[in-house]
Amino acid sequence: MEFLGFLARRLAWSLLVLFGLSVVIFVIARVVPGDPARMALGPRASAEQVADLQEKLGLNLPLYQQYARFVGGLARGELGQSLLTERSVNLDIRTTFPATLELVLATVFIAFLFGVPLGVAAARWKDRWPDNLVRAFAIVAAVMPTFFIALLLQVLAGYVLQILPTTGQLPTGTEFEANITGLLIVDALLTGDLNVAFEAMRHLLLPALALSLATMGQVARITRASMIDVSRQDYIEAARAFGVPDRVRLFKYQLRPAFVPPLTIMGLEFASLIGGAFVVELIFSWPGMAAYGIRAITQKDLNAIMGVVMVSGLFFVMVNLLIDVLVGFVDPRIRIRGRRA
Amino acid sequence: MTALLSVQGLSVSFSTYGRTVEVLKAVSLEVPQGAQVALVGESGSGKSVTMKVIMGLLAQPPARIHAGRIMFDGRDLLTLPERERVALRGTAMSMVFQDPMSSLNPVWTIEDQLTTILKYADRRLGRDRDRRGRRARVIEVLAQVRMRDPERVAQSFPIMLSGGMRQRVLIAMALLSEPRLLIADEPGTALDVTTQAQILKLLRDLVETQGLALLMITHNLGVVRETSNYVYVMNKGEIVEEGPTAGLFAAPRQQYTRDLIAAVPRLTGRVTS
């Protein structure tokens, strides 16, 4: 019951955030110079044609009316027509978003799979060589631009070693039509097509790795700091005094209370991951939403821009809602205090 | 009466940033079987270091043990192989921690923490006890520390319990494996005076009924009078005075002891000067 109340409060906040986002992106998209109608029709279109399209898009209306139209569409789940692809933005996003989602989920998975153990090892052997190695890695991973990592991996694994594919989601000519969840690997597994699932994972590996390195370093650093912080707590000393073995102390007594900061960071990382995904999507020819969004921005394809931003925002808000619930599960103090508040 | 614990000529120094400070100078003390002994001194007098050396919790380096022996039950703890040393910790000798607010793990239930400790204590002692047996023992010990609803307390997270209840849990933790020596590090200092008095009474009752030896580490002479019948007074790393509690209170020989007695707020309200 308390949990439902907590969820309801968080949902209300989420709606408020999304409303704010819609206003901001609406204004930004319109103050940027350039006439969408002119850009869509090209330099050789006549003034009448441009005016016609402007009227059709409602660009001649006052701003508040345009916003009302936009929000009205949003409420119906209708994002309008893309000028670039000349299809509905809904359809464009529905076809591109799952690829980005798959990429981002795999990225987060890899970042945590390696980042957390690295952080634990660094904290366990603080100021010794494992710690120095992890810290050096975290810095290098943070300062290397994603596009550089992506190209490096592509050259290394794709051309020099030739062990992994470097473009697309599947080998060209692969026949696969299932569309249950939209996530390729999941769909392939659901339909029992192990061959396609395996190929999809192989294709996913390099782009996800390229995108995950910076986050992995971040997760390792935060985990390390948090583990060291917890290791100084009295209850760790107490566990030692009562003869709880090192291994149990490290993972059960230390890692769980230390797990909240990396978890919270992950929620925030989702935003930058979607932003960073476009570089990776372009380099690896990944048919995702981030790349679609960038094309929309350069072409000032208003409906597509707003669609992509709103879907990203919704995704971000939902992920953080989920993480809030997870944090409450990991640390009962947060759950119980939230109940009292 | 042979001593269960006997510290003989223990000297310890700390080395940091090129400086070496001697924190324990030839400290000797004895805790006989079933006796209640107090080690009293102000902050920085070396009483916590003494306790840590006995428990084997002192980090070396920066600390270094120069000389001395710690005889426990006829064996020298300082020369004992690490494996046997660890086997004693939390079992034959156990410790009541000072701060109930920070000595319990916030993310696990009381039952979870107590059964974990019991599980590894059993393993070290080669005792065979299943999950249900461990749970039963945990509930039993929680009842021993006079917890009104042990079942409910076991299911609670530390944050759901009051300071006094948490302190009782810490005592229960120390009693889990039927220790012979209990080292108490100023239990209840973090609590209000009334609760502290209850905790001390509980501790004394438990020690007496179970025949445990108690080494009470404290800066509070009021606590000493409540819990012990023999006192060691420590100052700047040395034992400066010792004697039966009543005698020491009646006729302190050292100026330092007199100062301590004068300085400490009284728990019982009796006039002592």
Side-chain angles (χ1 to χ4, degrees), chain A residues 256-306:
Chain A
R256 182 158 165 192
F259 207 65
V260 170
L263 209 54
T264 315
I265 282 295
M266 180 174 92
L268 302 175
E269 283 286 315
F270 262 91
S272 63
L273 281 182
I274 292 180
F278 91 90
V279 179
V280 172
E281 289 183 1
L282 288 181
I283 292 176
F284 289 94
S285 310
W286 195 258
M289 190 182 71
Y292 171 75
I294 292 302
R295 278 199 302 276
I297 289 171
T298 55
Q299 292 294 315
K300 220 176 169 205
D301 187 350
L302 286 181
N303 287 337
I305 296 173
M306 315 253 271

Side-chain angles (χ1 to χ4, degrees), chain A residues 131-145:
Chain A
D131 186 22
N132 295 334
L133 210 65
V134 169
R135 281 193 283 183
F137 162 75
I139 291 173
V140 170
V143 295
M144 275 214 289

Side-chain angles (χ1 to χ4, degrees), chain A residues 32 66 137 147 231 303:
Chain A
V32 175
Q66 289 188 38
F137 162 75
F147 76 87
S231 75
N303 287 337

Side-chain angles (χ1 to χ4, degrees), chain B residues 18 22 27 39 108 124 153 183 190-191 194 219 224 236 240 260:
Chain B
E22 206 172 7
V27 167
L39 177 61
W108 297 100
R124 286 197 301 278
V153 169
I183 300 178
L191 303 171
T194 321
H219 63 262
V224 172
K236 293 180 184 157
V240 293
L260 267 188

Side-chain angles (χ1 to χ4, degrees), chain A residues 32-305:
Chain A
V32 175
D35 178 357
R38 169 57 76 186
M39 286 176 92
L41 295 171
R44 296 168 73 172
S46 70
E48 290 87 58
Q49 284 174 306
V50 172
D52 272 357
L53 186 57
Q54 277 182 338
E55 193 166 358
K56 204 178 130 206
L57 295 171
L59 292 174
N60 51 353
L61 296 170
L63 266 188
Y64 71 91
Q65 281 186 21
Q66 289 188 38
Y67 181 73
R69 280 175 64 158
F70 163 62
V71 170
L74 237 126
R76 291 191 308 274
E78 190 48 62
L79 297 166
Q81 198 78 8
S82 161
L83 293 175
L84 187 67
T85 61
E86 295 181 335
R87 298 191 305 177
S88 96
V89 173
N90 287 50
L91 183 64
D92 282 344
I93 287 179
R94 209 179 306 138
T95 48
T96 55
F97 180 68
T100 297
L101 180 64
E102 200 160 43
L103 177 62
V104 169
L105 288 181
T107 298
V108 167
F109 179 72
I110 293 174
F112 258 68
L113 190 67
F114 295 100
V116 170
L118 285 177
V120 171
R124 171 73 180 75
W125 291 285
K126 184 173 173 292
D127 295 329
R128 310 246 295 273
W129 68 265
D131 186 22
N132 295 334
L133 210 65
V134 169
R135 281 193 283 183
F137 162 75
I139 291 173
V140 170
V143 295
M144 275 214 289
T146 309
F147 76 87
F148 179 70
I149 298 175
L151 289 174
L152 199 68
L153 284 177
Q154 214 169 33
V155 169
L156 209 68
Y159 297 106
V160 179
L161 302 172
Q162 303 216 338
I163 44 172
L164 285 169
T166 55
T167 50
Q169 281 189 295
L170 282 176
T172 37
T174 309
E175 302 242 341
F176 186 71
E177 272 310 314
N179 196 348
I180 306 162
T181 60
L183 301 172
L184 201 53
I185 295 174
V186 179
D187 285 353
L189 287 176
L190 284 178
T191 51
D193 198 334
L194 294 181
N195 199 28
V196 168
F198 178 69
E199 276 302 327
M201 281 185 216
R202 269 169 49 90
H203 279 74
L204 182 59
L205 200 56
L206 278 188
L209 197 60
L211 190 54
S212 71
L213 279 185
T215 307
M216 193 190 296
Q218 183 85 334
V219 167
R221 268 189 35 211
I222 305 268
T223 306
R224 172 186 180 274
S226 185
M227 283 291 281
I228 289 172
D229 194 37
V230 171
S231 75
R232 299 195 180 116
Q233 298 289 324
D234 287 348
Y235 53 82
I236 300 299
E237 167 105 342
R240 202 158 86 87
F242 288 114
V244 176
D246 278 359
R247 177 181 42 84
V248 180
R249 236 172 32 231
L250 195 63
F251 290 102
K252 180 168 176 166
Y253 279 61
Q254 215 175 319
L255 183 56
R256 182 158 165 192
F259 207 65
V260 170
L263 209 54
T264 315
I265 282 295
M266 180 174 92
L268 302 175
E269 283 286 315
F270 262 91
S272 63
L273 281 182
I274 292 180
F278 91 90
V279 179
V280 172
E281 289 183 1
L282 288 181
I283 292 176
F284 289 94
S285 310
W286 195 258
M289 190 182 71
Y292 171 75
I294 292 302
R295 278 199 302 276
I297 289 171
T298 55
Q299 292 294 315
K300 220 176 169 205
D301 187 350
L302 286 181
N303 287 337
I305 296 173

